[in-house]
Amino acid sequence: MSQKGSKGSIQDLFGKLVRKQIFIPIAALFFLLLFNLIFDPGFFVITLGTNSAGDPVLSGNLITVINMGSELAILAIGMTFVTAASGGQDISVGAAIAIAGSTLLRVLCGTNTRPAVGELRTSILVAFIISCLVAMAFGAFNGMLVAIFKIQPMVATLILYTAGRSIAAWINNNELPIISDPEFGYFGGFIPGIPVPTPVFIAVACMIVAGLVLKFTNLGLYSQAVGINESSSRLNGLNPVFIKWLTFVILGLCVAVAALIKVSRLSSINYSVIAKDIEMDAILAVALGGNALSGGKFNLWASIVGAYVIQLLTTTLFKYEVPSDALPAYKAVVVIILVVFSAPTVREKIGNLKKKTVKREVA
Amino acid sequence: MSKKIRNMTDSNLLLAITVIVFVLMYVGAIIFQGKGFTKPQTFFNILNANAGLIILACAESLVMITGGIDISVGGMTALVSMSCAVYLDYHNGNVPVSMLIALLIGLAYGLVQGYLVAYLDIQPFIVSLAGMFFARGMTTIVNSDPFNVANESFVALKLARINVPGMGSVNKKGVYVNAYVEIGVIVALLVVILMFMMLRWTKLGRSFYAVGGNRQSALMLGINVKRTKFLSHLICSVLAGIGGYVYFLHVGSGAVTNGQGAEMNAIASSIIGGTMLTGGVGNIIGTLIGVLSLATIQNIVATAGLGEAWWTGITIAGMLCVFLVIQSVLMARKKKLMKK
C-alpha cells in the first residue's frame, strides 16, 4: 500500500465518494450552482427587505429555491418509501394534493366561500388533521390496490390521477373559496418577525421526523427488504402487504402537508392547476437521488437533495426567461441524460472502457 | 356453461366482459336517455370524435402487450398537431408534406424511445415520461398560442364526409339527413384491422405476445427479445404520430392543450379492453370497444344533466378500478391453477 503514495489515496478517496449514492444529486447541485456562478453571480444575492405587511423578509433566488422546493422535498420523502417498498411510483400525488387542499378549505369555510376575517368555522389545526386523514385514506386506497390486489403502482394510482381533481372540485361544489385570515397565509408565506419563509421550517420538520423514523424504527430496513425480494421477506417473518400499504399511507400524510403549504400560498385553490405535474417532479427527485425506481435500497437524503436540484433547475431556467410551459422540454433532456448514465448496461460499458485504457497503460 | 367459462382463456374472458359492459351501457343509454342514442349518427359522432384516440389506444395496447408502457402518446399528439398547424398556416405548406412531418416525428420518437428501452434497458415509464415532458415543452417552443388552421386544402380534407348509406335519419324539419363519418374514422378502422391481423396471424405479432408473456421463455424460443421490444415501441410511436394527425384533422387547430390526458385515456381504454398490464394478454378489438365504452360514458354523463364536469373523471376512474380488480383476481386465479 505504501508504494501507492498520496496520489493513489486521493484517487481512492475520490473513488469512494463517487461510488456513494448521494454523490450524484450533490454533483448535479454543484454543477448547477457553478453554472449560475459563472454566468450570473447575481443569482446568489440575498436581500433583506420588508413585505407589504411591513415585516422583514429575505428574498433572492436561493431563498426561492429552498422556499418553493419545500413541497417537492416533502413529497420526495414519501415517494422514496413507496418506490423502495413497491418498486413503482405514485402518479396521483398532484391530484391527491388537490383533494387534501380542497378538504382543508371545505372544513375551514363550510358553504360560505368568502368567510370574513375571524369567521372560520374551526381552527386551522383541526382542518389540517381532517385533511391529513382524508389524504391518508386515499393513500390507503392506493395502497390497497397495490398491496392486496397486486396492481402495478403506476397503474393503480392512475385511477386517482384520473378522478382526483374531479373529486377535489366535487368536495367544494366547484366553488373556489378564498380565505382572508392572515394566519392562514403563514404556512405558505412568512410568520411576522421571522424573515425565513415558513415552508422551509415545515420541510425541515418533516425531514427530522423522517430521520427519526428511520433511526428508531425498522421501517427503512423493512421497506428495503420487501422491495428487494417480497417472498423472501415474507419467509423472514415480515408482512409485505402491510408494509407496502403503510408506505402509501405515509405518502398520503406527506401529501397533506404539501397541500397545506400549497393552499396557504394562495389562500385559495384552483383544482385543475394546483400542484400540476408535481408527481413527475417527485418521481424525478427520487430518480435523481440515484434510487433504483424498481425498488429496493434507497437513500432518503439523496432524494431530498434531488428535489432541491430540480427546484434549482426550474428557478435557473425561469431566470433565463424560459416560459413555464417550455420547462418540461429542458427537464426531459436532463432526465434522459441522467437515466442513460445510470443505466446498468451503459455503466458496464463505461467500466469496460476504463479497464481497457488501464490495461493499455500497463502494457 | 360454467365449464365453458373456465376453459376460456384470460384474453377471451376479459374481452367478453368488456363487450357485455359496453352493450349494457349502450342499451341503458337508449332506455334512459331517450332518443339521442337510437340515432346511428350519435354512434358515428362518437367515432368521429375519438378516431385519434382509437389509434393511440391501439399503439398503447401493442406496447402493453409487449410488457411495456408508453405515456408519451398524448404529448406527441400535441407536438404533431402544433408542428403541422404551424407548417400549414405560417409556411403555406401542403397537406401531404404535413402528413410526412407527423410520420417523421413518430419515427424519430420511436427510434429514440425504442433504443433506450430495448437496448439500454431503461424502464419504459421513465423513458416515455421524459418523452412526454419533451413533447409538451417542444410544443410550446414551436408555438405557444392556440390557433385554427385556415389552409384551404387542409380544411377541405377536415370537412370531407363519407356518407354511410341507410343509416341516416329524418331531422326536425322533416328532411332526410345522411349519416356520415370523417376520414379519420376510416384511417382508425384501417389501423385496427391491420393491427388485429398483424397481432393474430404474423410471426412478429405472436412474438410480441411471447415477449410480454414471459421474456425468458421467449428468449429460449429463439425470439430476438430486444429487437421485438424495440419494434413495439417503434410501431407505437409511428402509430401515435398517425393518431396525432387524425386528432389534428378532427379538431383542426394547433394548441398546447391538444391531447391533454390522451395518454391516460389510451391506457385506460386498453385496460378496459382487456389488455393486461403485466403483458402477454390483449386484443385490439377489445381496445376498440374500450375506447367506445369510455366515449359512451362521457356522452352519457354529458347528456344526463350531470352537468358538473367532475362526473366524467369519477366514472372513468370507477370503471378503471373495477376492470383492474377483475384483472388482478384473474391473475390470482391463474397462479393458483399453475400451482395445481
Side-chain angles (χ1 to χ4, degrees):
Chain A
M1 287 303 250
S2 57
Q3 305 100 304
K4 262 194 172 175
S6 61
K7 202 184 163 193
S9 67
I10 287 172
Q11 263 179 357
D12 276 358
L13 198 71
F14 189 69
K16 257 185 204 166
L17 211 66
V18 168
R19 254 173 270 135
K20 277 250 166 79
Q21 193 187 341
I22 204 163
F23 174 77
I24 305 170
I26 286 183
L29 195 69
F30 270 107
F31 176 74
L32 275 173
L33 288 176
L34 198 68
F35 176 84
N36 278 311
L37 190 65
I38 292 167
F39 288 96
D40 183 15
F43 189 84
F44 295 92
V45 172
I46 294 172
T47 50
L48 185 66
T50 51
N51 63 3
S52 51
D55 297 312
V57 292
L58 286 171
S59 61
N61 286 314
L62 287 183
I63 299 295
T64 311
V65 171
I66 58 165
N67 181 13
M68 303 305 276
S70 310
E71 294 100 312
L72 202 53
I74 293 167
L75 287 179
I77 295 172
M79 194 67 88
T80 310
F81 281 121
V82 165
T83 304
S86 70
Q89 288 77 35
D90 185 338
I91 60 168
S92 69
V93 287
I97 284 179
I99 295 176
S102 188
T103 313
L104 194 68
L105 288 180
R106 172 80 197 195
V107 173
L108 282 176
C109 301
T111 46
N112 177 14
T113 54
R114 298 282 182 281
V117 176
E119 266 192 10
L120 295 179
R121 282 171 68 208
T122 51
S123 71
I124 295 169
L125 183 69
V126 173
F128 174 63
I129 290 171
I130 292 174
S131 96
C132 278
L133 290 177
V134 169
M136 281 158 78
F138 277 102
F141 170 73
N142 280 337
M144 181 190 77
L145 289 178
V146 171
I148 299 173
F149 288 105
K150 309 231 179 312
I151 302 170
Q152 285 178 19
M154 272 162 200
V155 181
T157 51
L158 181 69
I159 295 170
L160 197 56
Y161 176 93
T162 338
R165 289 176 195 278
S166 301
I167 294 173
W170 174 60
I171 289 173
N172 261 316
N173 233 341
N174 218 7
E175 310 258 2
L176 307 174
I178 296 173
I179 290 180
S180 37
D181 282 47
E183 289 91 36
F184 188 68
Y186 290 168
F187 300 99
F190 296 88
I191 295 172
I194 300 173
V196 180
T198 325
V200 178
F201 294 116
I202 299 178
V204 169
C206 287
M207 288 174 210
I208 291 171
V209 171
L212 290 178
V213 166
L214 281 184
K215 184 128 181 104
F216 291 107
T217 71
N218 282 335
L219 183 72
L221 182 69
Y222 286 179
S223 47
Q224 284 186 17
V226 170
I228 292 170
N229 192 332
E230 198 181 323
S231 358
S232 71
S233 63
R234 191 176 51 246
L235 292 177
N236 275 312
L238 297 183
N239 184 350
V241 173
F242 176 71
I243 288 165
K244 275 189 192 174
W245 181 80
L246 189 64
T247 57
F248 276 90
V249 176
I250 292 171
L251 180 58
L253 191 61
C254 296
V255 161
V257 177
L260 175 70
I261 299 175
K262 274 272 183 226
V263 174
S264 169
R265 278 191 205 280
L266 297 170
S267 287
S268 181
I269 192 167
N270 184 337
Y271 306 113
S272 53
V273 176
I274 186 173
K276 195 165 172 277
D277 289 343
I278 204 170
E279 52 274 351
M280 305 304 172
D281 278 351
I283 297 171
L284 190 52
V286 175
L288 203 61
N291 299 298
L293 289 175
S294 47
K297 281 188 91 67
F298 70 92
N299 185 336
L300 191 62
W301 312 113
S303 296
I304 293 171
V305 176
Y308 285 111
V309 170
I310 290 163
Q311 191 56 46
L312 183 59
L313 179 68
T314 312
T315 311
T316 309
L317 288 173
F318 269 138
K319 199 172 174 310
Y320 288 95
E321 281 163 9
V322 173
S324 63
D325 288 336
L327 272 183
Y330 297 90
K331 274 189 195 162
V333 174
V334 175
V335 178
I336 287 295
I337 292 172
L338 259 169
V339 290
V340 165
F341 277 103
S342 57
T345 41
V346 177
R347 276 195 178 176
E348 220 169 79
K349 270 178 198 164
I350 294 174
N352 285 345
L353 220 72
K354 259 187 196 163
K355 267 181 204 162
K356 267 182 199 166
T357 47
V358 169
K359 263 183 198 165
R360 252 180 235 152
E361 271 170 20
V362 171
Chain B
M1 185 66 194
S2 65
K3 204 176 178 187
K4 228 177 193 178
I5 289 179
R6 212 169 292 151
N7 286 341
M8 266 175 137
T9 58
D10 288 345
S11 186
N12 289 342
L13 187 62
L14 287 173
L15 182 63
I17 294 172
T18 313
V19 172
I20 291 168
V21 167
F22 174 65
V23 170
L24 279 182
M25 209 159 58
Y26 213 88
V27 171
I30 290 172
I31 294 169
F32 293 109
Q33 303 278 324
K35 277 184 170 177
F37 280 89
T38 52
K39 282 185 192 166
Q41 187 58 46
T42 309
F43 181 72
F44 290 132
N45 279 342
I46 290 177
L47 276 181
N48 287 339
N50 291 289
L53 184 59
I54 290 174
I55 301 177
L56 294 185
C58 286
E60 194 67 56
S61 295
L62 176 68
V63 176
M64 277 163 64
I65 285 170
T66 324
I69 199 163
D70 187 332
I71 57 168
S72 69
V73 291
M76 276 184 67
T77 303
L79 183 59
V80 163
S81 56
M82 185 58 96
S83 313
C84 292
V86 166
Y87 170 72
L88 284 170
D89 247 29
Y90 293 1
H91 301 284
N92 263 333
N94 56 353
V95 174
V97 178
S98 71
M99 288 176 184
L100 201 67
I101 290 176
L103 277 180
L104 281 180
I105 292 175
L107 195 68
Y109 249 87
L111 287 174
V112 174
Q113 293 196 348
Y115 180 76
L116 291 178
V117 170
Y119 292 101
L120 294 189
D121 248 339
I122 303 171
Q123 286 186 29
F125 189 89
I126 298 300
V127 170
S128 56
L129 180 73
M132 179 180 86
F133 270 155
F134 188 74
R136 290 262 173 227
M138 274 313 278
T139 311
T140 329
I141 293 171
V142 171
N143 187 13
S144 55
D145 305 316
F147 67 98
N148 281 324
V149 177
N151 187 306
E152 275 173 21
S153 44
F154 177 77
V155 173
L157 192 67
K158 172 176 156 48
L159 293 179
R161 289 174 172 185
I162 295 151
N163 287 332
V164 184
M167 289 291 204
S169 54
V170 180
N171 70 2
K172 280 176 191 163
K173 287 175 188 166
V175 184
Y176 183 81
V177 185
N178 258 323
Y180 68 91
V181 290
E182 289 171 8
I183 291 183
V185 177
I186 308 294
V187 180
L189 292 181
L190 265 180
V191 166
V192 169
I193 292 167
L194 283 178
M195 286 283 289
F196 178 77
M197 295 201 308
M198 191 267 282
L199 281 174
R200 176 140 305 187
W201 289 305
T202 66
K203 199 176 154 193
L204 180 68
R206 301 318 289 176
S207 63
F208 287 133
Y209 282 97
V211 170
N214 190 332
R215 206 186 148 145
Q216 210 59 42
S217 44
L219 199 68
M220 286 176 182
L221 280 172
I223 294 170
N224 190 336
V225 172
K226 284 185 175 174
R227 207 191 60 183
T228 313
K229 269 187 163 182
F230 175 75
L231 280 177
S232 79
H233 279 271
L234 185 68
I235 297 174
C236 167
S237 293
V238 171
L239 280 181
I242 298 172
Y245 196 85
V246 168
Y247 178 94
F248 172 54
L249 201 58
H250 178 72
V251 296
S253 65
V256 178
T257 51
N258 272 1
Q260 194 100 58
E263 60 279 345
M264 296 308 165
N265 280 342
I267 294 172
S269 330
S270 296
I271 292 171
I272 292 171
T275 308
M276 281 239 197
L277 283 154
T278 37
V281 178
N283 191 321
I284 292 296
I285 303 294
T287 304
L288 175 67
I289 294 169
V291 176
L292 293 178
S293 311
L294 216 62
T296 311
I297 286 190
Q298 282 167 355
N299 255 24
I300 292 174
V301 169
T303 53
L306 294 168
E308 297 92 342
W310 57 74
W311 284 111
T312 317
I314 293 177
T315 40
I316 291 177
M319 206 165 147
L320 198 61
C321 184
V322 169
F323 276 89
L324 280 172
V325 170
I326 291 174
Q327 282 195 6
S328 134
V329 171
L330 275 183
M331 280 303 284
R333 191 188 71 154
K334 202 177 170 186
K335 260 185 199 161
K336 260 187 196 165
L337 283 179
M338 294 250 280
K339 267 183 193 166
K340 278 179 188 173

